[in-house]
């Protein structure tokens, strides 16, 4: 392009970054991100989103979170799907507390998480034995009209039951069932 006098713009870089991310070449995509910055172009949400999603998919959530910070430092707000991806990746890394914090921030900013994001967060909170933290997530989830997946619901009920068959957190289960009944 340079030899033909065609100027590269942010769209050119974004296209290259998106394509490289799609085929799993995140390091090369990051190289184009750095080149974009070097030549003085301003990255956009379309620059950051594929990079963040790719890092999350690779399990490198710390790098993804760092890019979100850089994005926000430039005054660019991440898309809802970017936040969803971060929450899921944090949960998969065992960082459910951080995932819960991201969800709270999304809800404060009136962003609507995807159904899958809620379900993954409930799933990982349940697996971590943090059933007390599940109720506020369920409340938010049901408030916006999302329903719990059957498998996640079963997992939660299983975690509420002790190994000897006695119910633990009976009040929590009653509240979950009441909320679910009201939403049917």
């Amino acid at each position: 392009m340079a030899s033909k006098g065609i100027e590269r713009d942010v769209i050119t870089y974004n296209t290259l970054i998106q394509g490289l991310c799609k085929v799993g070449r995140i390091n090369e995509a990051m190289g184009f991100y750095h080149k974009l910055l070097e030549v003085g172009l301003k990255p956009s949400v379309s620059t950051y989103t594929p990079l963040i999603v790719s890092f999350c998919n690779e399990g490198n959530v710390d790098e993804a979170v760092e890019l979100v910070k850089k994005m926000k430092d430039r005054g660019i707000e991440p898309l809802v799907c970017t936040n969803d991806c971060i929450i899921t990746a944090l949960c998969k890394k065992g960082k459910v507390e951080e995932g819960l914090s991201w969800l709270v921030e999304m809800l404060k900013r009136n962003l609507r998480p995807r159904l899958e994001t809620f379900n993954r967060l409930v799933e990982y909170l349940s697996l971590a034995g943090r059933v007390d933290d599940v109720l506020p997530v369920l409340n938010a989830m049901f408030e916006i009209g999302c329903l719990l997946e059957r498998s996640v619901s079963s997992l939660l009920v299983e975690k509420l039951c002790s190994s000897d068959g006695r119910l633990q957190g009976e009040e929590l289960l009653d509240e979950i069932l009441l909320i679910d009944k009201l939403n049917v």
Side-chain angles (χ1 to χ4, degrees):
M1 288 177 74
S3 66
K4 292 185 178 189
I6 301 171
E7 214 172 299
R8 291 168 277 186
D9 59 11
V10 72
I11 295 170
T12 306
Y13 283 98
N14 287 349
T15 303
L16 290 167
I17 290 168
Q18 290 166 10
L20 289 166
C21 285
K22 277 186 182 179
V23 296
R25 294 165 57 182
I26 187 76
N27 290 333
E28 290 175 72
M30 281 300 292
F32 280 106
Y33 164 73
H34 291 295
K35 283 183 185 178
L36 176 147
L37 296 175
E38 285 172 19
V39 297
L41 294 173
K42 291 184 177 86
S44 68
V45 71
S46 297
T47 308
Y48 287 104
T49 302
L51 293 167
I52 293 166
V53 169
S54 291
F55 279 126
C56 286
N57 290 340
E58 288 185 354
N60 194 347
V61 68
D62 294 332
E63 191 72 34
V65 168
E66 198 55 42
L67 275 176
V68 170
K69 288 178 186 173
K70 289 178 181 178
M71 198 177 170
K72 288 181 176 183
D73 288 346
R74 292 183 176 277
I76 303 168
E77 280 301 312
L79 300 173
V80 171
C81 68
T82 305
N83 287 286
D84 286 326
C85 198
I86 294 277
I87 292 169
T88 301
L90 286 167
C91 288
K92 286 180 180 177
K93 282 288 190 182
K95 299 179 177 187
V96 290
E97 184 68 37
E98 288 180 55
L100 190 56
S101 295
W102 277 78
L103 177 74
V104 168
E105 281 304 309
M106 282 183 76
L107 295 172
K108 282 182 184 175
R109 294 190 340 254
N110 292 320
L111 299 176
R112 182 186 171 128
R114 291 179 309 168
L115 170 64
E116 181 168 325
T117 302
F118 278 120
N119 276 286
R120 293 302 67 82
L121 192 52
V122 170
E123 175 185 8
Y124 283 98
L125 284 168
S126 297
L127 288 169
R130 299 190 50 186
V131 292
D132 289 344
D133 292 326
V134 169
L135 189 57
V137 176
L138 289 175
N139 280 330
M141 184 177 178
F142 295 150
E143 257 182 41
I144 62 173
C146 294
L147 298 176
L148 199 56
E149 291 172 0
R150 186 175 303 270
S151 62
V152 176
S153 179
S154 296
L155 174 65
L156 180 56
V157 170
E158 178 185 311
K159 291 296 178 179
L160 289 169
C161 295
S162 66
S163 59
D164 63 3
R166 288 193 340 249
L167 197 59
Q168 296 176 343
E170 194 168 342
E171 292 173 14
L172 178 60
L173 183 59
D174 287 343
E175 200 159 338
I176 291 167
L177 294 173
L178 177 64
I179 291 169
D180 195 36
K181 192 178 211 178
L182 294 174
N183 287 303
V184 174

